[in-house]
PDB file of all heavy atoms in Angstrom:
ATOM      1  N   GLU A 370     113.379 116.566  89.048  1.00 54.00           N
ATOM      2  CA  GLU A 370     113.749 115.892  90.320  1.00 54.00           C
ATOM      3  C   GLU A 370     113.348 116.587  91.596  1.00 54.00           C
ATOM      4  O   GLU A 370     113.543 116.128  92.642  1.00 54.00           O
ATOM      5  CB  GLU A 370     115.300 115.735  90.333  1.00 54.00           C
ATOM      6  CG  GLU A 370     115.816 114.642  89.482  1.00 54.00           C
ATOM      7  CD  GLU A 370     117.285 114.601  89.671  1.00 54.00           C
ATOM      8  OE1 GLU A 370     117.936 115.624  89.773  1.00 54.00           O
ATOM      9  OE2 GLU A 370     117.807 113.455  89.714  1.00 54.00           O
ATOM     10  N   PRO A 372     112.210 117.714  94.833  1.00 67.00           N
ATOM     11  CA  PRO A 372     111.601 116.859  95.814  1.00 67.00           C
ATOM     12  C   PRO A 372     110.341 117.449  96.463  1.00 67.00           C
ATOM     13  O   PRO A 372     109.677 116.773  97.207  1.00 67.00           O
ATOM     14  CB  PRO A 372     112.666 116.624  96.862  1.00 67.00           C
ATOM     15  CG  PRO A 372     113.376 117.835  96.832  1.00 67.00           C
ATOM     16  CD  PRO A 372     113.404 118.344  95.376  1.00 67.00           C
ATOM     17  N   LYS A 514     120.010 114.079  98.948  1.00 90.00           N
ATOM     18  CA  LYS A 514     120.078 113.259  97.763  1.00 90.00           C
ATOM     19  C   LYS A 514     120.814 111.975  98.163  1.00 90.00           C
ATOM     20  O   LYS A 514     121.995 111.915  98.463  1.00 90.00           O
ATOM     21  CB  LYS A 514     120.888 113.963  96.688  1.00 90.00           C
ATOM     22  CG  LYS A 514     120.663 113.476  95.309  1.00 90.00           C
ATOM     23  CD  LYS A 514     119.311 114.106  94.788  1.00 90.00           C
ATOM     24  CE  LYS A 514     118.914 113.351  93.631  1.00 90.00           C
ATOM     25  NZ  LYS A 514     117.946 113.256  92.810  1.00 90.00           N
ATOM     26  N   ALA A 515     120.026 110.866  98.209  1.00 92.00           N
ATOM     27  CA  ALA A 515     120.480 109.578  98.750  1.00 92.00           C
ATOM     28  C   ALA A 515     121.198 108.739  97.684  1.00 92.00           C
ATOM     29  O   ALA A 515     121.561 107.609  97.983  1.00 92.00           O
ATOM     30  CB  ALA A 515     119.371 108.859  99.394  1.00 92.00           C
ATOM     31  N   GLN A 518     120.104 105.920  92.560  1.00 86.00           N
ATOM     32  CA  GLN A 518     119.106 104.879  92.423  1.00 86.00           C
ATOM     33  C   GLN A 518     117.997 104.971  93.407  1.00 86.00           C
ATOM     34  O   GLN A 518     116.954 104.416  93.227  1.00 86.00           O
ATOM     35  CB  GLN A 518     119.799 103.540  92.436  1.00 86.00           C
ATOM     36  CG  GLN A 518     120.605 103.302  91.240  1.00 86.00           C
ATOM     37  CD  GLN A 518     121.683 102.257  91.388  1.00 86.00           C
ATOM     38  OE1 GLN A 518     122.218 102.067  92.497  1.00 86.00           O
ATOM     39  NE2 GLN A 518     122.092 101.650  90.313  1.00 86.00           N
ATOM     40  N   LYS A 519     118.239 105.709  94.501  1.00 90.00           N
ATOM     41  CA  LYS A 519     117.169 105.749  95.525  1.00 90.00           C
ATOM     42  C   LYS A 519     116.481 107.126  95.529  1.00 90.00           C
ATOM     43  O   LYS A 519     115.481 107.281  96.170  1.00 90.00           O
ATOM     44  CB  LYS A 519     117.773 105.491  96.932  1.00 90.00           C
ATOM     45  CG  LYS A 519     118.222 104.054  97.099  1.00 90.00           C
ATOM     46  CD  LYS A 519     118.334 103.708  98.630  1.00 90.00           C
ATOM     47  CE  LYS A 519     119.480 104.410  99.287  1.00 90.00           C
ATOM     48  NZ  LYS A 519     119.665 103.955 100.678  1.00 90.00           N
ATOM     49  N   GLY A 520     117.030 108.075  94.809  1.00 89.00           N
ATOM     50  CA  GLY A 520     116.399 109.362  94.810  1.00 89.00           C
ATOM     51  C   GLY A 520     116.690 110.144  96.116  1.00 89.00           C
ATOM     52  O   GLY A 520     117.823 109.984  96.664  1.00 89.00           O
ATOM     53  N   TRP A 521     115.738 110.907  96.638  1.00 91.00           N
ATOM     54  CA  TRP A 521     115.939 111.590  97.843  1.00 91.00           C
ATOM     55  C   TRP A 521     115.757 110.725  99.039  1.00 91.00           C
ATOM     56  O   TRP A 521     115.114 109.713  99.013  1.00 91.00           O
ATOM     57  CB  TRP A 521     114.893 112.780  97.923  1.00 91.00           C
ATOM     58  CG  TRP A 521     115.100 113.738  96.849  1.00 91.00           C
ATOM     59  CD1 TRP A 521     114.564 113.758  95.579  1.00 91.00           C
ATOM     60  CD2 TRP A 521     115.933 114.965  96.881  1.00 91.00           C
ATOM     61  NE1 TRP A 521     115.013 114.833  94.861  1.00 91.00           N
ATOM     62  CE2 TRP A 521     115.794 115.537  95.645  1.00 91.00           C
ATOM     63  CE3 TRP A 521     116.745 115.501  97.874  1.00 91.00           C
ATOM     64  CZ2 TRP A 521     116.494 116.768  95.332  1.00 91.00           C
ATOM     65  CZ3 TRP A 521     117.482 116.657  97.494  1.00 91.00           C
ATOM     66  CH2 TRP A 521     117.339 117.277  96.285  1.00 91.00           C
ATOM     67  N   GLY A 522     116.363 111.151 100.151  1.00 94.00           N
ATOM     68  CA  GLY A 522     116.269 110.325 101.357  1.00 94.00           C
ATOM     69  C   GLY A 522     116.181 111.284 102.579  1.00 94.00           C
ATOM     70  O   GLY A 522     116.268 112.518 102.340  1.00 94.00           O
ATOM     71  N   TYR A 538     104.646 108.781 110.190  1.00 98.00           N
ATOM     72  CA  TYR A 538     104.371 108.687 108.742  1.00 98.00           C
ATOM     73  C   TYR A 538     102.995 109.441 108.652  1.00 98.00           C
ATOM     74  O   TYR A 538     101.970 108.990 109.109  1.00 98.00           O
ATOM     75  CB  TYR A 538     104.173 107.293 108.250  1.00 98.00           C
ATOM     76  CG  TYR A 538     103.953 107.156 106.739  1.00 98.00           C
ATOM     77  CD1 TYR A 538     104.961 106.817 105.935  1.00 98.00           C
ATOM     78  CD2 TYR A 538     102.701 107.394 106.235  1.00 98.00           C
ATOM     79  CE1 TYR A 538     104.769 106.713 104.557  1.00 98.00           C
ATOM     80  CE2 TYR A 538     102.443 107.335 104.892  1.00 98.00           C
ATOM     81  CZ  TYR A 538     103.540 107.013 104.088  1.00 98.00           C
ATOM     82  OH  TYR A 538     103.328 106.950 102.704  1.00 98.00           O
ATOM     83  N   LYS A 559     105.465 107.063  87.894  1.00 54.00           N
ATOM     84  CA  LYS A 559     106.449 106.440  88.709  1.00 54.00           C
ATOM     85  C   LYS A 559     106.647 107.154  90.088  1.00 54.00           C
ATOM     86  O   LYS A 559     107.097 106.594  91.053  1.00 54.00           O
ATOM     87  CB  LYS A 559     107.871 106.553  88.073  1.00 54.00           C
ATOM     88  CG  LYS A 559     108.014 105.511  86.890  1.00 54.00           C
ATOM     89  CD  LYS A 559     109.371 105.587  86.326  1.00 54.00           C
ATOM     90  CE  LYS A 559     109.356 106.644  85.245  1.00 54.00           C
ATOM     91  NZ  LYS A 559     110.634 107.058  84.704  1.00 54.00           N
ATOM     92  N   ARG A 560     106.097 108.411  90.143  1.00 55.00           N
ATOM     93  CA  ARG A 560     106.276 109.126  91.324  1.00 55.00           C
ATOM     94  C   ARG A 560     105.209 108.804  92.408  1.00 55.00           C
ATOM     95  O   ARG A 560     104.271 109.513  92.651  1.00 55.00           O
ATOM     96  CB  ARG A 560     106.185 110.663  91.028  1.00 55.00           C
ATOM     97  CG  ARG A 560     107.280 111.121  90.147  1.00 55.00           C
ATOM     98  CD  ARG A 560     107.335 112.651  90.185  1.00 55.00           C
ATOM     99  NE  ARG A 560     107.805 113.088  91.471  1.00 55.00           N
ATOM    100  CZ  ARG A 560     106.998 113.539  92.414  1.00 55.00           C
ATOM    101  NH1 ARG A 560     105.723 113.562  92.260  1.00 55.00           N
ATOM    102  NH2 ARG A 560     107.511 113.972  93.582  1.00 55.00           N
ATOM    103  N   HIS A 561     105.352 107.697  92.985  1.00 58.00           N
ATOM    104  CA  HIS A 561     104.488 107.432  94.172  1.00 58.00           C
ATOM    105  C   HIS A 561     105.334 107.145  95.340  1.00 58.00           C
ATOM    106  O   HIS A 561     106.420 106.666  95.254  1.00 58.00           O
ATOM    107  CB  HIS A 561     103.532 106.264  93.852  1.00 58.00           C
ATOM    108  CG  HIS A 561     104.245 104.978  93.566  1.00 58.00           C
ATOM    109  ND1 HIS A 561     104.783 104.204  94.546  1.00 58.00           N
ATOM    110  CD2 HIS A 561     104.496 104.290  92.373  1.00 58.00           C
ATOM    111  CE1 HIS A 561     105.348 103.138  94.056  1.00 58.00           C
ATOM    112  NE2 HIS A 561     105.163 103.204  92.750  1.00 58.00           N
ATOM    113  N   THR A 562     104.770 107.382  96.478  1.00 66.00           N
ATOM    114  CA  THR A 562     105.424 106.985  97.736  1.00 66.00           C
ATOM    115  C   THR A 562     104.685 105.704  98.104  1.00 66.00           C
ATOM    116  O   THR A 562     103.605 105.368  97.570  1.00 66.00           O
ATOM    117  CB  THR A 562     105.359 108.036  98.819  1.00 66.00           C
ATOM    118  OG1 THR A 562     103.950 108.353  99.001  1.00 66.00           O
ATOM    119  CG2 THR A 562     106.116 109.319  98.412  1.00 66.00           C
ATOM    120  N   TYR A 563     105.217 105.021  99.097  1.00 75.00           N
ATOM    121  CA  TYR A 563     104.544 103.790  99.455  1.00 75.00           C
ATOM    122  C   TYR A 563     103.440 103.999 100.461  1.00 75.00           C
ATOM    123  O   TYR A 563     103.689 104.575 101.521  1.00 75.00           O
ATOM    124  CB  TYR A 563     105.576 102.818 100.060  1.00 75.00           C
ATOM    125  CG  TYR A 563     105.918 101.777  98.983  1.00 75.00           C
ATOM    126  CD1 TYR A 563     106.746 102.095  97.916  1.00 75.00           C
ATOM    127  CD2 TYR A 563     105.350 100.531  99.080  1.00 75.00           C
ATOM    128  CE1 TYR A 563     106.973 101.184  96.933  1.00 75.00           C
ATOM    129  CE2 TYR A 563     105.536  99.620  98.060  1.00 75.00           C
ATOM    130  CZ  TYR A 563     106.374  99.932  97.004  1.00 75.00           C
ATOM    131  OH  TYR A 563     106.578  99.051  96.038  1.00 75.00           O
ATOM    132  N   ALA A 594     108.405 112.068 106.449  1.00 97.00           N
ATOM    133  CA  ALA A 594     108.548 110.617 106.382  1.00 97.00           C
ATOM    134  C   ALA A 594     108.451 110.067 104.949  1.00 97.00           C
ATOM    135  O   ALA A 594     108.888 108.973 104.683  1.00 97.00           O
ATOM    136  CB  ALA A 594     107.543 109.927 107.283  1.00 97.00           C
ATOM    137  N   ARG A 595     107.858 110.860 104.074  1.00 95.00           N
ATOM    138  CA  ARG A 595     107.705 110.386 102.666  1.00 95.00           C
ATOM    139  C   ARG A 595     109.086 110.294 101.985  1.00 95.00           C
ATOM    140  O   ARG A 595     109.166 109.767 100.878  1.00 95.00           O
ATOM    141  CB  ARG A 595     106.744 111.263 101.930  1.00 95.00           C
ATOM    142  CG  ARG A 595     107.356 112.613 101.539  1.00 95.00           C
ATOM    143  CD  ARG A 595     106.359 113.572 101.066  1.00 95.00           C
ATOM    144  NE  ARG A 595     105.686 113.299  99.797  1.00 95.00           N
ATOM    145  CZ  ARG A 595     106.231 113.304  98.640  1.00 95.00           C
ATOM    146  NH1 ARG A 595     107.520 113.647  98.488  1.00 95.00           N
ATOM    147  NH2 ARG A 595     105.554 113.042  97.517  1.00 95.00           N
ATOM    148  N   PHE A 596     110.171 110.848 102.636  1.00 95.00           N
ATOM    149  CA  PHE A 596     111.454 110.771 102.033  1.00 95.00           C
ATOM    150  C   PHE A 596     112.295 109.590 102.613  1.00 95.00           C
ATOM    151  O   PHE A 596     113.438 109.345 102.186  1.00 95.00           O
ATOM    152  CB  PHE A 596     112.221 112.055 102.252  1.00 95.00           C
ATOM    153  CG  PHE A 596     111.620 113.202 101.493  1.00 95.00           C
ATOM    154  CD1 PHE A 596     110.905 114.199 102.137  1.00 95.00           C
ATOM    155  CD2 PHE A 596     111.730 113.255 100.106  1.00 95.00           C
ATOM    156  CE1 PHE A 596     110.362 115.246 101.411  1.00 95.00           C
ATOM    157  CE2 PHE A 596     111.175 114.334  99.405  1.00 95.00           C
ATOM    158  CZ  PHE A 596     110.478 115.250 100.052  1.00 95.00           C
ATOM    159  N   ILE A 597     111.722 108.908 103.570  1.00 97.00           N
ATOM    160  CA  ILE A 597     112.529 107.790 104.189  1.00 97.00           C
ATOM    161  C   ILE A 597     112.565 106.602 103.216  1.00 97.00           C
ATOM    162  O   ILE A 597     111.500 106.043 102.871  1.00 97.00           O
ATOM    163  CB  ILE A 597     111.956 107.365 105.532  1.00 97.00           C
ATOM    164  CG1 ILE A 597     111.794 108.609 106.425  1.00 97.00           C
ATOM    165  CG2 ILE A 597     112.868 106.383 106.192  1.00 97.00           C
ATOM    166  CD1 ILE A 597     111.178 108.340 107.802  1.00 97.00           C
ATOM    167  N   ASN A 598     113.755 106.180 102.888  1.00 96.00           N
ATOM    168  CA  ASN A 598     113.895 105.030 101.969  1.00 96.00           C
ATOM    169  C   ASN A 598     113.803 103.768 102.729  1.00 96.00           C
ATOM    170  O   ASN A 598     113.994 103.645 103.920  1.00 96.00           O
ATOM    171  CB  ASN A 598     115.230 105.144 101.178  1.00 96.00           C
ATOM    172  CG  ASN A 598     115.148 106.196 100.114  1.00 96.00           C
ATOM    173  OD1 ASN A 598     114.127 106.317  99.463  1.00 96.00           O
ATOM    174  ND2 ASN A 598     116.178 107.060 100.072  1.00 96.00           N
ATOM    175  N   HIS A 599     113.587 102.724 101.881  1.00 95.00           N
ATOM    176  CA  HIS A 599     113.445 101.379 102.449  1.00 95.00           C
ATOM    177  C   HIS A 599     114.777 100.652 102.641  1.00 95.00           C
ATOM    178  O   HIS A 599     115.705 100.834 101.881  1.00 95.00           O
ATOM    179  CB  HIS A 599     112.571 100.558 101.517  1.00 95.00           C
ATOM    180  CG  HIS A 599     112.677  99.073 101.603  1.00 95.00           C
ATOM    181  ND1 HIS A 599     111.902  98.318 102.518  1.00 95.00           N
ATOM    182  CD2 HIS A 599     113.473  98.152 101.033  1.00 95.00           C
ATOM    183  CE1 HIS A 599     112.270  97.078 102.411  1.00 95.00           C
ATOM    184  NE2 HIS A 599     113.244  96.948 101.562  1.00 95.00           N
ATOM    185  N   ARG A 600     114.850  99.829 103.713  1.00 95.00           N
ATOM    186  CA  ARG A 600     116.004  98.962 103.896  1.00 95.00           C
ATOM    187  C   ARG A 600     115.479  97.631 104.420  1.00 95.00           C
ATOM    188  O   ARG A 600     114.671  97.546 105.459  1.00 95.00           O
ATOM    189  CB  ARG A 600     116.966  99.586 104.862  1.00 95.00           C
ATOM    190  CG  ARG A 600     118.285  98.749 104.939  1.00 95.00           C
ATOM    191  CD  ARG A 600     119.280  99.497 105.797  1.00 95.00           C
ATOM    192  NE  ARG A 600     120.413  98.609 106.040  1.00 95.00           N
ATOM    193  CZ  ARG A 600     121.512  98.592 105.352  1.00 95.00           C
ATOM    194  NH1 ARG A 600     121.707  99.402 104.382  1.00 95.00           N
ATOM    195  NH2 ARG A 600     122.504  97.782 105.655  1.00 95.00           N
ATOM    196  N   CYS A 601     115.850  96.507 103.781  1.00 93.00           N
ATOM    197  CA  CYS A 601     115.308  95.267 104.181  1.00 93.00           C
ATOM    198  C   CYS A 601     115.820  94.803 105.539  1.00 93.00           C
ATOM    199  O   CYS A 601     117.078  94.748 105.801  1.00 93.00           O
ATOM    200  CB  CYS A 601     115.690  94.145 103.138  1.00 93.00           C
ATOM    201  SG  CYS A 601     115.057  94.407 101.509  1.00 93.00           S
ATOM    202  N   TRP A 639     113.689 102.542 106.905  1.00 96.00           N
ATOM    203  CA  TRP A 639     112.847 101.578 107.581  1.00 96.00           C
ATOM    204  C   TRP A 639     112.475 100.552 106.580  1.00 96.00           C
ATOM    205  O   TRP A 639     112.491 100.722 105.372  1.00 96.00           O
ATOM    206  CB  TRP A 639     111.684 102.296 108.256  1.00 96.00           C
ATOM    207  CG  TRP A 639     110.577 102.752 107.298  1.00 96.00           C
ATOM    208  CD1 TRP A 639     110.676 103.922 106.541  1.00 96.00           C
ATOM    209  CD2 TRP A 639     109.274 102.296 107.176  1.00 96.00           C
ATOM    210  NE1 TRP A 639     109.490 104.067 105.835  1.00 96.00           N
ATOM    211  CE2 TRP A 639     108.600 103.119 106.187  1.00 96.00           C
ATOM    212  CE3 TRP A 639     108.513 101.254 107.664  1.00 96.00           C
ATOM    213  CZ2 TRP A 639     107.262 102.958 105.851  1.00 96.00           C
ATOM    214  CZ3 TRP A 639     107.212 101.098 107.304  1.00 96.00           C
ATOM    215  CH2 TRP A 639     106.607 101.883 106.419  1.00 96.00           C
ATOM    216  N   TYR A 641     109.888  98.755 104.564  1.00 92.00           N
ATOM    217  CA  TYR A 641     108.506  98.973 104.139  1.00 92.00           C
ATOM    218  C   TYR A 641     107.662  97.722 104.291  1.00 92.00           C
ATOM    219  O   TYR A 641     106.415  97.778 104.105  1.00 92.00           O
ATOM    220  CB  TYR A 641     108.435  99.405 102.678  1.00 92.00           C
ATOM    221  CG  TYR A 641     109.024 100.701 102.294  1.00 92.00           C
ATOM    222  CD1 TYR A 641     109.676 101.565 103.187  1.00 92.00           C
ATOM    223  CD2 TYR A 641     108.974 101.129 100.982  1.00 92.00           C
ATOM    224  CE1 TYR A 641     110.230 102.776 102.818  1.00 92.00           C
ATOM    225  CE2 TYR A 641     109.562 102.352 100.595  1.00 92.00           C
ATOM    226  CZ  TYR A 641     110.166 103.156 101.483  1.00 92.00           C
ATOM    227  OH  TYR A 641     110.702 104.341 101.071  1.00 92.00           O
ATOM    228  N   PHE A 645     108.911  91.296  97.828  1.00 86.00           N
ATOM    229  CA  PHE A 645     109.379  91.488  96.449  1.00 86.00           C
ATOM    230  C   PHE A 645     108.978  90.379  95.493  1.00 86.00           C
ATOM    231  O   PHE A 645     109.093  90.557  94.299  1.00 86.00           O
ATOM    232  CB  PHE A 645     110.905  91.665  96.445  1.00 86.00           C
ATOM    233  CG  PHE A 645     111.364  92.975  96.965  1.00 86.00           C
ATOM    234  CD1 PHE A 645     111.772  93.105  98.296  1.00 86.00           C
ATOM    235  CD2 PHE A 645     111.344  94.156  96.251  1.00 86.00           C
ATOM    236  CE1 PHE A 645     112.120  94.276  98.891  1.00 86.00           C
ATOM    237  CE2 PHE A 645     111.762  95.383  96.745  1.00 86.00           C
ATOM    238  CZ  PHE A 645     112.163  95.448  98.092  1.00 86.00           C
ATOM    239  N   ILE A 652     100.939  97.948  94.246  1.00 71.00           N
ATOM    240  CA  ILE A 652     101.990  98.935  94.005  1.00 71.00           C
ATOM    241  C   ILE A 652     103.187  98.125  93.579  1.00 71.00           C
ATOM    242  O   ILE A 652     103.683  97.269  94.294  1.00 71.00           O
ATOM    243  CB  ILE A 652     102.342  99.659  95.325  1.00 71.00           C
ATOM    244  CG1 ILE A 652     101.129 100.184  96.058  1.00 71.00           C
ATOM    245  CG2 ILE A 652     103.400 100.710  95.044  1.00 71.00           C
ATOM    246  CD1 ILE A 652     100.534 101.476  95.538  1.00 71.00           C
ATOM    247  N   LYS A 653     103.680  98.419  92.338  1.00 74.00           N
ATOM    248  CA  LYS A 653     104.805  97.696  91.825  1.00 74.00           C
ATOM    249  C   LYS A 653     105.993  97.948  92.641  1.00 74.00           C
ATOM    250  O   LYS A 653     106.368  99.122  92.939  1.00 74.00           O
ATOM    251  CB  LYS A 653     105.033  98.157  90.350  1.00 74.00           C
ATOM    252  CG  LYS A 653     105.740  97.145  89.531  1.00 74.00           C
ATOM    253  CD  LYS A 653     105.755  97.626  88.110  1.00 74.00           C
ATOM    254  CE  LYS A 653     106.704  96.828  87.228  1.00 74.00           C
ATOM    255  NZ  LYS A 653     108.057  96.627  87.705  1.00 74.00           N
ATOM    256  N   PHE A 655     109.920  98.392  93.629  1.00 86.00           N
ATOM    257  CA  PHE A 655     111.104  98.900  92.939  1.00 86.00           C
ATOM    258  C   PHE A 655     112.205  97.851  93.024  1.00 86.00           C
ATOM    259  O   PHE A 655     112.118  96.935  93.824  1.00 86.00           O
ATOM    260  CB  PHE A 655     111.591 100.178  93.540  1.00 86.00           C
ATOM    261  CG  PHE A 655     111.575 100.163  95.071  1.00 86.00           C
ATOM    262  CD1 PHE A 655     112.652  99.704  95.759  1.00 86.00           C
ATOM    263  CD2 PHE A 655     110.443 100.596  95.832  1.00 86.00           C
ATOM    264  CE1 PHE A 655     112.622  99.655  97.180  1.00 86.00           C
ATOM    265  CE2 PHE A 655     110.443 100.540  97.159  1.00 86.00           C
ATOM    266  CZ  PHE A 655     111.549 100.079  97.876  1.00 86.00           C
ATOM    267  N   SER A 656     113.231  98.061  92.225  1.00 89.00           N
ATOM    268  CA  SER A 656     114.444  97.240  92.389  1.00 89.00           C
ATOM    269  C   SER A 656     115.197  97.705  93.579  1.00 89.00           C
ATOM    270  O   SER A 656     115.733  98.890  93.600  1.00 89.00           O
ATOM    271  CB  SER A 656     115.228  97.330  91.050  1.00 89.00           C
ATOM    272  OG  SER A 656     116.397  96.648  91.241  1.00 89.00           O
ATOM    273  N   CYS A 657     115.320  96.940  94.597  1.00 92.00           N
ATOM    274  CA  CYS A 657     115.804  97.421  95.901  1.00 92.00           C
ATOM    275  C   CYS A 657     117.301  97.641  95.851  1.00 92.00           C
ATOM    276  O   CYS A 657     118.135  96.831  95.427  1.00 92.00           O
ATOM    277  CB  CYS A 657     115.517  96.389  97.025  1.00 92.00           C
ATOM    278  SG  CYS A 657     115.917  96.993  98.633  1.00 92.00           S
ATOM    279  N   ARG A 658     117.760  98.815  96.374  1.00 92.00           N
ATOM    280  CA  ARG A 658     119.090  99.139  96.371  1.00 92.00           C
ATOM    281  C   ARG A 658     119.501  99.418  97.899  1.00 92.00           C
ATOM    282  O   ARG A 658     120.240 100.396  98.167  1.00 92.00           O
ATOM    283  CB  ARG A 658     119.462 100.446  95.635  1.00 92.00           C
ATOM    284  CG  ARG A 658     118.853 100.361  94.184  1.00 92.00           C
ATOM    285  CD  ARG A 658     119.740  99.666  93.294  1.00 92.00           C
ATOM    286  NE  ARG A 658     119.071  99.452  92.044  1.00 92.00           N
ATOM    287  CZ  ARG A 658     119.609  98.987  90.965  1.00 92.00           C
ATOM    288  NH1 ARG A 658     120.865  98.629  90.930  1.00 92.00           N
ATOM    289  NH2 ARG A 658     118.921  98.826  89.808  1.00 92.00           N
ATOM    290  N   CYS A 659     118.904  98.700  98.766  1.00 93.00           N
ATOM    291  CA  CYS A 659     119.124  99.109 100.228  1.00 93.00           C
ATOM    292  C   CYS A 659     120.531  98.775 100.701  1.00 93.00           C
ATOM    293  O   CYS A 659     120.975  99.383 101.610  1.00 93.00           O
ATOM    294  CB  CYS A 659     118.069  98.376 101.079  1.00 93.00           C
ATOM    295  SG  CYS A 659     118.278  96.586 101.251  1.00 93.00           S
ATOM    296  N   GLY A 660     121.179  97.867 100.026  1.00 91.00           N
ATOM    297  CA  GLY A 660     122.548  97.484 100.464  1.00 91.00           C
ATOM    298  C   GLY A 660     122.656  96.631 101.653  1.00 91.00           C
ATOM    299  O   GLY A 660     123.767  96.263 102.159  1.00 91.00           O
TER     300      GLY A 660
HETATM  301  C1  SAM B 721     108.697 106.799 100.228  1.00 95.88           C
HETATM  302  S1  SAM B 721     109.541 107.177  98.821  1.00 95.88           S
HETATM  303  C2  SAM B 721     111.180 107.534  99.442  1.00 95.88           C
HETATM  304  C3  SAM B 721     111.693 108.777  98.899  1.00 95.88           C
HETATM  305  C4  SAM B 721     112.139 108.781  97.472  1.00 95.88           C
HETATM  306  N1  SAM B 721     113.492 108.205  97.406  1.00 95.88           N
HETATM  307  C5  SAM B 721     112.104 110.066  96.831  1.00 95.88           C
HETATM  308  O1  SAM B 721     113.073 110.493  96.115  1.00 95.88           O
HETATM  309  O2  SAM B 721     111.106 110.767  96.939  1.00 95.88           O
HETATM  310  C6  SAM B 721     109.687 105.517  98.140  1.00 95.88           C
HETATM  311  C7  SAM B 721     110.372 105.466  96.777  1.00 95.88           C
HETATM  312  O3  SAM B 721     111.790 105.647  96.975  1.00 95.88           O
HETATM  313  C8  SAM B 721     112.578 104.723  96.218  1.00 95.88           C
HETATM  314  N2  SAM B 721     113.232 103.826  97.135  1.00 95.88           N
HETATM  315  C9  SAM B 721     113.061 103.710  98.456  1.00 95.88           C
HETATM  316  N3  SAM B 721     113.893 102.827  98.975  1.00 95.88           N
HETATM  317  C10 SAM B 721     114.603 102.267  97.957  1.00 95.88           C
HETATM  318  C11 SAM B 721     115.552 101.258  97.854  1.00 95.88           C
HETATM  319  N4  SAM B 721     115.967 100.553  98.922  1.00 95.88           N
HETATM  320  N5  SAM B 721     116.051 100.971  96.680  1.00 95.88           N
HETATM  321  C12 SAM B 721     115.626 101.615  95.567  1.00 95.88           C
HETATM  322  N6  SAM B 721     114.765 102.595  95.643  1.00 95.88           N
HETATM  323  C13 SAM B 721     114.189 102.940  96.770  1.00 95.88           C
HETATM  324  C14 SAM B 721     111.519 103.939  95.406  1.00 95.88           C
HETATM  325  O4  SAM B 721     111.446 104.623  94.151  1.00 95.88           O
HETATM  326  C15 SAM B 721     110.227 104.134  96.159  1.00 95.88           C
HETATM  327  O5  SAM B 721     109.131 103.982  95.367  1.00 95.88           O
END
Side-chain angles (χ1 to χ4, degrees):
E370 284 182 319
K514 203 79 196 176
Q518 290 159 333
K519 289 201 293 185
W521 295 89
Y538 184 101
K559 283 181 277 168
R560 294 197 68 261
H561 62 75
T562 54
Y563 257 76
R595 74 193 295 288
F596 293 107
I597 307 178
N598 285 317
H599 159 88
R600 189 173 169 96
C601 296
W639 71 290
Y641 294 1
F645 288 96
I652 312 280
K653 202 174 171 308
F655 44 85
S656 175
C657 186
R658 314 277 170 171
C659 71

